[in-house]
Amino acid sequence: MVIRVKVIPKSSKTELVGYLPDGTWKVKVAAAPEKGKANRALCEFLAERLGVAKSRVRIVAGETSPLKRIVIE
């Protein structure tokens, strides 16, 4: 499965906020966007939310952008 995610880093807590009109998930992440911390927090959150192992969630596009494409195997 491939999903698009808009990430809002440095929020008060990590949570799914909603969806954009094009179906992109909007996720707030508590971690700061430095040294990949926000990306790791996002992958951990999605894995927990979808009930899969963390190793099965990968960012395939948008490593340094707020808009990301995520693959869940």
Side-chain angles (χ1 to χ4, degrees):
M1 167 175 30
V2 178
I3 60 171
R4 290 179 44 138
V5 178
K6 178 174 180 166
V7 179
I8 302 160
K10 293 179 73 174
S11 298
S12 59
K13 63 181 179 175
T14 301
E15 63 183 338
L16 177 63
V17 183
Y19 304 93
L20 298 178
D22 66 354
T24 300
W25 294 27
K26 191 172 178 183
V27 178
K28 288 185 176 181
V29 177
E34 54 192 33
K35 298 181 183 175
K37 291 179 185 175
N39 287 341
R40 282 191 298 277
L42 173 65
C43 288
E44 289 173 10
F45 172 75
L46 291 174
E48 182 181 312
R49 176 96 181 184
L50 298 172
V52 298
K54 288 184 273 188
S55 62
R56 299 183 61 130
V57 178
R58 292 183 298 121
I59 298 173
V60 293
E63 280 282 328
T64 60
S65 168
L67 288 171
K68 303 182 185 300
R69 195 167 359 151
I70 312 284
V71 171
I72 294 112
E73 299 171 351

